[in-house]
């Protein structure tokens, strides 16, 4: 029940706040923070109890939910989803503490939406039933809609509607794909029993991939992101960049690659081209942004292009680098949005031209901002370097697509240094005007908010082994599934139909071999 407790404990916080909201703002914030911290502490049990030698799903719970339709409450985690669960439970209490003094109207609704959103995101990363996955996937839209639509900026309604419409369009395609898999899987939604090749796999792949590409967002499906980020409240931007975008890349590694490997190989040149375009385009557009928040938003388009590039290398190094980069991006970009929010609360402006010389007045803020900026551009010794290096290495040696793609992608690393360091120079150095000279430095609460993120930024950069070792076997299993399924599907096109049953037998033997090896290792 440990995993179910982690998923649904935030919902208990929602109920508690709803019942006790009459006690005042202080009680509401304390309940929300206590629930957030408790959820994170309990989730650490998933890490300590995780057996990294198997790579199989652990903490599994499976109960019939709607037996007549083959729907079950089936959850579990492997070395890939483990880190995304921990990232979610780690960032949520930080967001609650960051919003301690910034939310005045509708505080109870704000905290309830934040906790409900946490449950939806955790469910997406843990669901092993396709129907359950879709329920969690859609349920997180509701609290995010309220967070942006009620507590957002001036154009919040436009940004919210655009965000929901984009996501719903992708979800409709994914739902069609889920139903098609259901009928091809003996009327079952169980992800662990799905075994291809599937008929019309190219169309099924596109249905799932477009839904996930919109969420990433991959160029050219990215246009909702800058509006949503700019209009969302600070913690909304942190959760959006830190966790919600990872639902798209997680979907690619969990569904698109292992279920439709032939289609993934077929579309790899196109997808990798889009990823490289996104890397360079996002960096170039970020370079000319006058708004700090929009600059960070476009940097996400660039950084997540690297993640997609690594995933479609379809080898252990590239995929491990992508999973680690999902965590790195959540930490670095989440920290950037927190810092932008802190300076906005003081200056009530996000325009770069309104700043200058802040390092003279806010030295603590300047030092933290510098570390996070260097992390974002991938400085060796900080977390961003490890993920980007593994992605580029895995993509270059695989040969799944042209090495020209990888060479162009490295241009994004250079451009990231250009726009981030130029932004830092304009904000932190230069002339300090009279208005900025009155800004106070970070207080104790704000320092406490940033310190845990800085700890992991340095830890991953200096010693990433604890993070990579937990996901290694799970990534290897995904790569094995991709190569096995792809080989079987490739051969089936070249042999008579009456001999295809033998290929499925070989596939079954391969799965049994993997399971036996895992059991022996355990």
């Amino acid at each position: 029940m440990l995993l179910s407790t982690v998923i649904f404990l935030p919902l208990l916080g929602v109920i508690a706040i709803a019942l006790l909201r009459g006690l005042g703002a202080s009680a509401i914030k304390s309940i929300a923070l206590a629930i957030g911290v408790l959820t994170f502490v309990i989730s650490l049990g998933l890490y300590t109890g995780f057996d990294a030698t198997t790579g199989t799903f652990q903490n599994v719970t499976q109960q019939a939910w709607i037996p007549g339709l083959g729907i079950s409450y089936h959850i579990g985690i492997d070395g890939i989803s483990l880190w995304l669960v921990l990232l979610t439970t780690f960032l949520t209490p930080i967001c609650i503490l960051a919003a301690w003094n910034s939310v005045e109207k509708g505080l109870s609704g704000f905290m309830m939406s934040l906790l409900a959103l946490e449950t939806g995101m955790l469910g997406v990363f843990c669901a092993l039933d396709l129907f359950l996955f879709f329920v969690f996937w859609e349920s997180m839209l509701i609290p995010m809609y309220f967070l942006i639509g009620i507590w957002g900026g001036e154009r919040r309604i436009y940004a919210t509607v655009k965000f929901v419409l984009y996501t719903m369009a992708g979800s409709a395609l994914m739902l069609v794909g889920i139903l098609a898999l259901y009928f091809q899987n003996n009327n079952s939604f169980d992800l662990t029993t799905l075994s291809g090749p599937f008929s019309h796999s190219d169309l099924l792949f596109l249905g799932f991939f477009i839904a996930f590409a919109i969420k990433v967002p991959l160029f050219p499906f990215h246009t909702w992101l800058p509006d949503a980020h700019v209009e969302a409240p600070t913690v909304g931007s942190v959760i959006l960049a830190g966790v919600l975008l990872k639902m798209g890349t997680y979907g690619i590694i969990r569904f698109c690659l292992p279920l439709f490997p032939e289609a993934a190989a077929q579309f790899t040149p196109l997808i990798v081209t889009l990823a490289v375009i996104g890397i360079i385009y996002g960096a170039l557009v970020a370079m000319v942004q006058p708004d700090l928040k929009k600059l960070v938003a476009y940097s996400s388009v660039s950084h997540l292009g690297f993640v997609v590039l690594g995933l479609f290398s379809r080898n252990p190094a590239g995929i491990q680098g992508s999973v680690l980069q999902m965590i790195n991006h959540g930490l670095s970009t989440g920290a950037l949005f927190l810092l932008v929010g802190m300076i906005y609360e003081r200056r009530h402006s996000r325009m770069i031209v309104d700043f200058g010389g802040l390092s003279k007045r806010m030295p603590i803020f300047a030092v933290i901002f510098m570390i996070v900026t260097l992390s974002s551009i991938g400085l060796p010794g900080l977390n961003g370097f490890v993920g980007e290096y593994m992605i580029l290495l895995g993509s270059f040696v695989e040969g799944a697509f042209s090495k020209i793609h990888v060479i162009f992608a490295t241009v994004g690393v250079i451009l990231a240094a250009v726009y981030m360091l130029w932004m830092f120079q304009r904000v932190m150095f230069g002339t300090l005007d009279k208005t900025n000279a009155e800004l106070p430095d970070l207080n104790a609460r704000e320092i406490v908010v940033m310190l845990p993120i800085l700890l992991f930024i340095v830890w991953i950069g200096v010693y990433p082994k604890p993070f990579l070792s937990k996901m290694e076997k799970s990534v290897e299993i995904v790569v094995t599934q991709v190569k096995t399924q792809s080989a079987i599907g490739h051969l089936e096109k070249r042999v008579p139909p009456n001999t295809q049953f033998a290929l499925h037998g070989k596939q079954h033997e391969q799965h049994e071999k993997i399971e036996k090896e895992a059991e022996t290792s355990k």
Side-chain angles (χ1 to χ4, degrees):
M1 296 300 294
L2 179 61
L3 191 55
S4 295
T5 302
V6 171
I7 294 173
F8 292 106
L9 183 59
L11 276 188
L12 293 180
V14 173
I15 296 171
I17 292 174
L19 295 176
L20 302 174
R21 59 186 178 182
L23 296 179
S26 179
I28 292 171
K29 291 185 283 191
S30 299
I31 293 171
L33 182 60
I35 293 293
V37 172
L38 182 60
T39 303
F40 173 65
V41 171
I42 295 175
S43 70
L44 292 177
L46 298 173
Y47 175 84
T48 57
F50 189 83
D51 184 1
T53 61
T54 67
T56 55
F57 288 105
Q58 300 174 35
N59 296 97
V60 175
T61 300
Q62 186 170 15
Q63 295 289 335
W65 184 14
I66 310 176
L69 297 177
I71 299 172
S72 63
Y73 173 72
H74 190 189
I75 59 171
I77 57 170
D78 64 355
I80 297 168
S81 52
L82 168 68
W83 289 113
L84 295 170
V85 168
L86 292 175
L87 178 66
T88 306
T89 60
F90 173 73
L91 286 180
T92 301
I94 287 177
C95 287
I96 293 171
L97 191 59
W100 202 259
N101 295 327
S102 60
V103 179
E104 298 177 357
K105 65 173 184 178
L107 177 64
S108 60
F110 182 88
M111 294 300 179
M112 289 164 66
S113 297
L114 200 55
L115 291 174
L117 181 61
E118 182 180 13
T119 289
M121 296 184 298
L122 290 171
V124 165
F125 297 133
C126 299
L128 299 180
D129 180 276
L130 289 173
F131 184 85
L132 183 66
F133 174 85
F134 188 77
V135 169
F136 280 123
W137 178 274
E138 291 294 278
S139 66
M140 67 89 204
L141 275 179
I142 302 170
M144 198 67 207
Y145 177 89
F146 288 130
L147 283 174
I148 301 176
I150 297 177
W151 293 277
E154 293 181 0
R155 301 177 70 243
R156 57 185 180 274
I157 302 301
Y158 168 78
T160 305
V161 172
K162 193 174 183 180
F163 163 69
V164 171
L165 288 179
Y166 265 75
T167 305
M168 291 291 288
S171 299
L173 294 174
M174 182 169 64
L175 180 59
V176 173
I178 289 174
L179 292 176
L181 290 178
Y182 170 76
F183 290 116
Q184 294 189 47
N185 191 43
N186 299 320
N187 294 347
S188 172
F189 289 102
D190 193 341
L191 177 63
T192 58
T193 64
L194 286 175
S195 180
F198 302 101
S199 60
H200 305 293
S201 61
D202 51 348
L203 295 177
L204 292 175
F205 172 85
L206 285 176
F208 278 91
F209 178 77
I210 291 174
F212 299 139
I214 290 172
K215 186 68 73 177
V216 169
L218 182 69
F219 178 91
F221 306 104
H222 67 284
T223 57
W224 63 268
L225 181 67
D227 293 308
H229 267 317
V230 170
E231 300 305 324
T234 297
V235 298
S237 296
V238 175
I239 291 293
L240 188 62
V243 184
L244 253 68
L245 305 187
K246 311 310 180 298
M247 290 165 54
T249 49
Y250 171 77
I252 292 172
I253 192 174
R254 181 64 73 219
F255 297 94
C256 292
L257 295 180
L259 296 182
F260 318 109
E262 280 187 282
Q266 176 186 343
F267 288 105
T268 288
L270 172 62
I271 293 169
V272 169
T273 301
L274 293 178
V276 173
I277 291 173
I279 290 170
I280 298 175
Y281 168 83
L284 290 175
V285 177
M287 200 181 299
V288 297
Q289 292 304 313
D291 186 319
L292 279 170
K293 209 171 186 184
K294 191 166 280 191
L295 183 150
V296 179
Y298 275 107
S299 75
S300 293
V301 177
S302 183
H303 289 152
L304 288 165
F306 279 103
V307 176
V308 174
L309 180 71
L311 291 178
F312 279 87
S313 70
R314 305 196 303 280
N315 66 40
I319 294 179
Q320 271 190 280
S322 290
V323 176
L324 186 63
Q325 195 65 3
M326 294 183 209
I327 311 303
N328 294 337
H329 178 265
L331 295 171
S332 301
T333 307
L336 283 172
F337 277 119
L338 286 171
L339 290 167
V340 172
M342 290 172 185
I343 199 67
Y344 178 76
E345 289 178 13
R346 290 163 167 76
R347 187 66 167 80
H348 301 293
S349 173
R350 295 189 301 263
M351 295 299 154
I352 296 175
V353 71
D354 290 335
F355 297 102
L358 289 189
S359 60
K360 302 171 186 175
R361 186 69 181 87
M362 306 173 65
I364 298 176
F365 178 83
V367 169
I368 295 176
F369 206 161
M370 180 188 69
I371 295 172
V372 175
T373 299
L374 296 176
S375 162
S376 183
I377 66 177
L379 182 77
L382 299 178
N383 61 340
F385 173 77
V386 183
E388 286 184 358
Y389 176 78
M390 292 183 68
I391 288 170
L392 294 173
L393 178 66
S395 301
F396 195 82
V397 302
E398 175 62 18
F401 39 79
S402 169
K403 289 182 171 58
I404 299 297
H405 287 97
V406 186
I407 294 171
F408 273 109
T410 58
V411 175
V413 179
I414 302 170
L415 293 177
V418 172
Y419 67 77
M420 291 300 295
L421 293 178
W422 188 31
M423 175 271 293
F424 184 81
Q425 181 264 329
R426 286 181 289 168
V427 172
M428 291 299 162
F429 302 110
T431 304
L432 181 68
D433 65 28
K434 185 178 297 185
T435 304
N436 292 327
E438 299 175 356
L439 301 181
D441 207 347
L442 299 188
N443 57 39
R445 176 184 59 82
E446 292 168 329
I447 294 173
V448 169
V449 166
M450 299 304 303
L451 280 180
I453 301 179
L454 295 179
L455 170 66
F456 282 102
I457 284 175
V458 176
W459 184 358
I460 296 175
V462 174
Y463 188 59
K465 183 179 178 180
F467 302 87
L468 295 171
S469 62
K470 291 286 187 183
M471 70 176 78
E472 184 176 1
K473 291 295 183 182
S474 297
V475 169
E476 287 179 1
I477 288 178
V478 170
V479 173
T480 301
Q481 287 176 331
V482 169
K483 292 183 177 179
T484 303
Q485 296 275 9
S486 183
I488 291 171
H490 186 70
L491 286 173
E492 280 193 343
K493 294 178 179 179
R494 288 166 170 74
V495 299
N498 59 353
T499 63
Q500 289 185 7
F501 73 93
L503 295 174
H504 290 289
K506 291 293 184 182
Q507 180 187 20
H508 181 68
E509 290 176 8
Q510 182 70 21
H511 283 300
E512 283 191 339
K513 182 180 178 182
I514 293 173
E515 291 177 359
K516 286 180 181 178
E517 289 176 354
E519 189 64 31
T520 302
S521 300
K522 187 176 180 181

